[in-house]
Amino acid sequence: MSTRATDTTAPAPLLELSGLRKEFGGRRTNVAVDDVSLDVHEGETLALVGESGCGKTTLTRLLLGLLEPTAGRVRFDGQDLAALTASELRGVRRQMQVVLQDPYSSMNPRMRITDIVAEPLVTHEPDARGRRARARTRERVGELLEAVGLDAGIQDRYPHEFSGGQRQRVSIARALALRPRLLVLDEPTSALDVSVQATVLDLLADLQQRLRLTYVFVSHNLAVVAQVADRVAVMSRGSLVEVGEATAVLRTPRHPYTRRLLDAVPVLDPRRGRRAAERASLPAPEANR
Ligand SMILES: Nc1ncnc2c1ncn2[C@@H]1O[C@H](COP(=O)(O)OP(=O)(O)OP(=O)(O)O)[C@@H](O)[C@H]1O
Ligand SMILES: [Mg+2]
């Protein structure tokens, strides 16, 4: 952790992005991310919103250390990603995991659930490899499946045997395998039916509390954002145009772009924020959908 001479009371942010820029080459340079500075604090959900192509996924790939910035810096837990050795970077990266919109495309259909969930363990932990580790790894996979509301007994089945919601739970289990501190959720429920979406959002809220996770939640669905976000960052054409408390940004957007974004969602009632969602007793997660 970095210590700050100027402020001894507030903890340093878990994630600090400063002056991030990403250009993609070609004959005409495309600036996908333009001078983005943003802090994400431990335990919060920061929603990243903005229209398609505005740079949300590129920004998440920069913060995960999967893309190298053209300029600017990413610090995770006080450590500058660009200053780390390859093995240090691996150590930091395992603390940040990602869940994507379409889990099916990132799952090998010929792999059993057990091997899909165990993949990060086997990759990162020598102890989890080999025949002697098998029983212990299966036990750990069983715990992970149960933590996401699935039956530990599904380990020998294949992804196509499950519904979209169940597959998304499997990919959340895989993302949790290395006990990360930060999850990047890039449109995690956008491909799901509304009722299933609600159960997965519920699961994510529950996991966040139990495991003290920090979420960067990318979504273009502002109704979902109103439900999950503590803070909202609004992106337009590569830049952040507004960052603030979710209720403030959604109720009284300051930037014209945010107002236009909100105007496009007539059903949204920003008073139904996260606290309201917690009070309204949401249905228990249902694994069998
Ligand atoms: N690997 C790449 N090479 C070249 N250009 C890219 C690459 N990745 C993204 N871009 C460009 O960067 C811009 C931002 O793309 P990005 O995928 O980050 O947007 P997004 O906000 O995630 O969009 P969506 O909501 O549709 O997922 C787009 O103009 C895109 O074409
Ligand atoms: Mg995207």
Side-chain angles (χ1 to χ4, degrees), residues 94-260:
R94 58 178 289 169
Q95 300 180 60
M96 305 188 255
Q97 296 292 318
V98 59
V99 175
L100 301 172
Q101 173 172 347
D102 177 11
Y104 207 47
S105 64
S106 60
M107 283 177 191
N108 181 341
R110 294 201 192 92
M111 273 168 78
R112 296 177 195 270
I113 299 296
T114 191
D115 296 318
I116 290 170
V117 176
E119 199 173 33
L121 289 171
V122 171
T123 307
H124 285 269
E125 295 182 355
D127 286 2
R129 278 177 225 148
R131 279 210 299 197
R132 282 173 55 207
R134 202 173 145 74
R136 206 165 358 104
T137 301
R138 277 185 76 89
E139 195 181 325
R140 176 77 182 125
V141 169
E143 287 166 9
L144 287 161
L145 291 171
E146 282 173 356
V148 298
L150 293 171
D151 191 316
I154 66 167
Q155 294 199 39
D156 293 316
R157 293 167 65 185
Y158 291 90
H160 74 264
E161 300 177 54
F162 297 92
S163 68
Q166 288 170 324
R167 277 199 294 265
Q168 195 56 302
R169 287 171 190 267
V170 170
S171 67
I172 294 167
R174 175 173 58 183
L176 295 175
L178 294 168
R179 305 181 201 277
R181 295 168 71 187
L182 178 91
L183 283 192
V184 170
L185 303 145
D186 196 342
E187 303 277 8
T189 61
S190 303
L192 305 175
D193 289 350
V194 173
S195 61
V196 179
Q197 194 170 71
T199 64
V200 173
L201 292 175
D202 245 14
L203 169 69
L204 289 170
D206 177 52
L207 291 169
Q208 182 171 41
Q209 278 215 321
R210 276 197 286 149
L211 306 174
R212 200 177 156 66
L213 292 165
T214 304
Y215 290 162
V216 173
F217 195 110
V218 176
S219 182
H220 61 257
N221 184 337
L222 293 177
V224 167
V225 168
Q227 190 187 327
V228 303
D230 296 303
R231 286 192 307 140
V232 176
V234 184
M235 241 180 136
S236 175
R237 295 182 190 175
S239 302
L240 287 187
V241 294
E242 186 162 3
V243 183
E245 294 293 320
T247 40
V249 172
L250 296 173
R251 199 181 302 175
T252 50
R254 294 219 301 267
H255 197 278
Y257 174 76
T258 315
R259 270 182 235 137
R260 279 204 301 280

Side-chain angles (χ1 to χ4, degrees), residues 23-37:
E23 295 172 3
F24 287 112
R27 221 174 306 146
R28 288 182 50 198
T29 305
N30 175 5
V31 183
V33 171
D34 188 4
D35 196 22
V36 166
S37 296

Side-chain angles (χ1 to χ4, degrees), residues 32-101:
V33 171
D34 188 4
D35 196 22
V36 166
S37 296
L38 180 68
D39 290 346
V40 182
H41 300 276
E42 184 127 49
E44 80 168 332
T45 296
L46 178 102
L48 190 58
V49 306
E51 67 197 358
S52 182
C54 72
K56 303 179 297 293
T57 297
T58 304
L59 183 61
T60 66
R61 293 179 60 76
L62 290 170
L63 75 85
L64 290 163
L66 299 173
L67 264 183
E68 216 171 296
T70 308
R73 203 198 315 265
V74 177
R75 282 179 199 274
F76 181 84
D77 200 11
Q79 293 173 286
D80 181 347
L81 296 196
L84 301 177
T85 65
S87 91
E88 288 169 337
L89 187 59
R90 270 197 300 280
V92 170
R93 272 213 200 121
R94 58 178 289 169
Q95 300 180 60
M96 305 188 255
Q97 296 292 318
V98 59
V99 175
L100 301 172
Q101 173 172 347

